Amino acid sequence: FGENAIEAVEVLGHYESERIANTAISAITSDIVELQSLDVDAVTGATLTSMAILSAVRDCVGQAGGSVSDLEKVPGREKSDAVEVIETEVAIIGAGAAGLTSAIALAESGTEVLVMEKCGFIGGSMLVSGGRLQYPEAPLEYRQETTEPMRRLFAEVMERARDLGVSEERVSQVEQQYEQWYAEGNTKTFDSDEFYAVLGAVGFGNPLAAETTLDAESARRACEWVTAHGVELEKPLLGIMGFSWPRSTHPVGRPAGEGYVDALEAYIQSAGFPALDILFSTSAQELLVEDGKVTGVRGQCDDGTTYEIHASKAVVLATGGYTDSPKWLARLQPQYGFNEGESIHSVAPAGHSGDGLDMAEEVGAAVVSCGEVMLNPYAHPQYHIVGHIIGDTGNPLVVNKEGKRFVNETGKRTDLALAVMDQPDQLCYIIACDQNSNIMPDGRNFDGEPAEGLFENGLAYRADTLDELADQIDIPASALKKTVEEYNAACVAGVPDEFGRTYFEETAPLVEGPFYASPGTWAVLITVDGLTVDERFRVLDDGGQPIAGLFAVGEVCGQPCLQVLGYGDVIAKGVLG
């Protein structure tokens, strides 16, 4: 503070997602100083961070003897009424994984691209995702050494596949591949595209999914594409919640999916694409149509400016899913009892409100439900984030608030979430110890978050004994200790336990402190339906015909946010014919 003004605002530290928080920190602090006002706009997509900064500044003003009410009366920045028309070849709506990779691939081909992003930053769902990619048939340097529990898990998956109705031809093929792999002297973890397909079929309860290897090819393409664009992927591959086979990786050294965004931004800057621009804080509102063809998009920036983008070749919807839209959740996922008038817990970032579905439906696109939504069983109960977990190895111990197990923790993700829904207060805890939490290199958890920050802020808990841990999370110590004792016995028994679980790695027993607890509840993670597209990603109408000039990629048409990282070249070829 100076004698008559606020001279500077500095945020000294935080545990926020950096890319989301830094945009708000920069914009809010500079606006306060420039305008000498607390009537400043929040940054779209970082509303809570914006509010936190303003709240802290109000507190500082009060400490300095200033008048908060006077500063709140000073008018903020006036809204613009300008209208800007921009000509480009391709307009992309959304700068998440789908939008960024599409923009990069098109720019690499020499195409003029303009991206419209409603938030004040790039990255979309990547920024708050676990950042985990499945890497089918990964190079041997990525794979773990095979263990006996992995062999038991393989047999369990094959049994589940037969029970589900996967064709005997496919199951036998995978079993033969498995036997041949080890007969040839390999000691690393087995994998094949066909096994990936069978695991996906078991995980989502769809036997037909086992008959195609397209998803495996797409997942591998994503890993190879990000590696070619500057991302270093973590070794060795690990199992994760809902996907216990050790096939998951993520960027080295950065929290969650931020590593992808860092690398892609660095690639864009180093490439110096002359015709790739991004409009931030600009919400797309309407697709422009001329003679039956989508020719552009109209949107409005947070500063009031209206942008009318004319795209001579195509408009690409990369707007994400509808995890933040009670309307679309109730319409497309009625089996979960979603209510159009109630907000839903979601681990996706702000902005996934179904805008792309709204705009596309207005120009005749078909919106189709596949009757499935991907749920997360272990979102933080208060903040609905997923980066707080200690010990997410894919085969943890999970208890309810009574200290009791209630599910096969290596089952499919949706089953885990449904089981959590049935628990008291829909609450659970992942219990870990140093022995099975050795995925905390450099003091960070598997998502790359600083562990000490999680403990300091009450997002996760640590104690030297199970008694102390039970006291911290307010569950009966006797029940927790009894559960751990029975769980440890199941770990070494090598036979199905009372929940049908057989997969217990050598690191699974909880025998030595410190012990950890990560609270969880269910939340909507990813939507896997929406617009229908053809092999060129052209959006189809109710009659199955392409809508001229309109393309879609990513979660808006049912593709998980990270898997589309490998689709840039496919989109570019589709758009350019």
Side-chain angles (χ1 to χ4, degrees), residues 7 22 85 243 253 285 296 302 320 331 333 349 445 455 503 545 551:
E7 295 184 349
N22 288 348
V85 177
F243 298 91
Q285 298 174 328
D302 285 354
R331 173 175 163 181
Q333 305 294 332
N445 71 355
F455 304 136
Y503 180 46
Q545 297 301 309
F551 295 74

Side-chain angles (χ1 to χ4, degrees), residues 12-292:
L12 302 180
H14 65 82
Y15 289 111
E16 300 273 33
S17 298
E18 286 190 22
R19 284 187 166 273
I20 297 176
N22 288 348
T23 303
I25 290 169
S26 175
I28 299 293
T29 56
S30 61
D31 281 355
I32 290 172
V33 175
E34 178 185 345
L35 302 171
Q36 292 297 301
S37 170
L38 295 178
D39 181 26
V40 301
D41 292 331
V43 173
T44 300
T47 303
L48 294 179
T49 304
S50 303
M51 292 167 59
I53 296 169
L54 287 168
S55 176
V57 171
R58 289 188 185 97
D59 182 65
C60 289
V61 170
Q63 292 182 52
S67 172
V68 173
S69 60
D70 285 350
L71 287 170
E72 288 177 334
K73 292 175 185 176
V74 177
R77 200 178 303 280
E78 290 187 12
K79 296 291 185 182
S80 170
D81 58 2
V83 177
E84 292 193 25
V85 177
I86 301 176
E87 303 288 338
T88 189
E89 290 183 300
V90 177
I92 298 175
I93 306 174
L100 280 179
T101 53
S102 299
I104 288 171
L106 286 162
E108 287 173 335
S109 73
T111 305
E112 188 178 30
V113 183
L114 187 140
V115 182
M116 183 180 286
E117 169 55 52
K118 73 188 297 183
C119 295
F121 44 84
I122 62 174
S125 287
M126 280 193 293
L127 294 178
V128 297
S129 74
R132 298 161 188 176
L133 284 174
Q134 299 279 299
Y135 201 160
E137 293 192 11
L140 292 181
E141 63 186 290
Y142 283 89
R143 304 195 204 184
Q144 289 189 35
E145 289 291 326
T146 300
T147 65
E148 185 57 34
M150 286 183 202
R151 294 181 181 276
R152 292 199 297 268
L153 178 59
F154 178 83
E156 180 182 332
V157 171
M158 294 298 100
E159 182 179 350
R160 289 187 199 172
R162 286 189 168 94
D163 291 343
L164 180 65
V166 173
S167 70
E168 182 59 33
E169 180 181 4
R170 176 64 93 194
V171 174
S172 296
Q173 178 188 18
V174 172
E175 289 176 333
Q176 291 170 11
Q177 292 173 340
Y178 178 86
E179 294 300 330
Q180 182 177 352
W181 172 260
Y182 293 111
E184 292 174 351
N186 291 301
T187 62
K188 298 280 188 172
T189 309
F190 164 76
D191 204 4
S192 73
D193 286 0
E194 291 77 13
F195 181 45
Y196 184 97
V198 171
L199 271 172
V202 171
F204 291 102
N206 177 13
L208 295 180
E211 303 307 315
T212 176
T213 60
L214 291 178
D215 284 347
E217 295 163 15
S218 298
R220 183 167 49 255
R221 182 193 299 126
C223 292
E224 294 170 347
W225 191 90
V226 297
T227 301
H229 286 79
V231 177
E232 181 184 359
L233 294 175
E234 191 72 63
K235 306 170 188 173
L237 302 179
L238 295 170
I240 60 171
M241 161 259 302
F243 298 91
S244 297
W245 196 256
R247 193 194 280 129
S248 294
T249 184
H250 61 97
V252 171
R254 288 290 288 157
E258 290 188 37
Y260 301 112
V261 187
D262 287 349
L264 295 183
E265 183 177 62
Y267 177 80
I268 291 171
Q269 291 173 347
S270 65
F273 297 120
L276 171 57
D277 292 309
I278 301 177
L279 291 175
F280 288 106
S281 301
T282 303
S283 299
Q285 298 174 328
E286 177 187 7
L287 295 175
L288 306 178
V289 180
E290 186 175 334
D291 296 329

Side-chain angles (χ1 to χ4, degrees), residues 95 129 282 299 317 321 344 413 429 559 577:
S129 74
T282 303
L317 293 172
I344 304 297
R413 189 172 289 181
Y429 292 92
Q559 298 161 328

Side-chain angles (χ1 to χ4, degrees), residues 132 238-239 250 389-394 434-448:
R132 298 161 188 176
L238 295 170
H250 61 97
I389 298 173
I390 303 294
D392 180 10
T393 60
D434 269 356
Q435 183 179 355
N436 73 354
S437 298
N438 54 9
I439 51 173
M440 288 199 297
D442 303 319
R444 295 176 179 269
N445 71 355
F446 188 49
D447 286 321

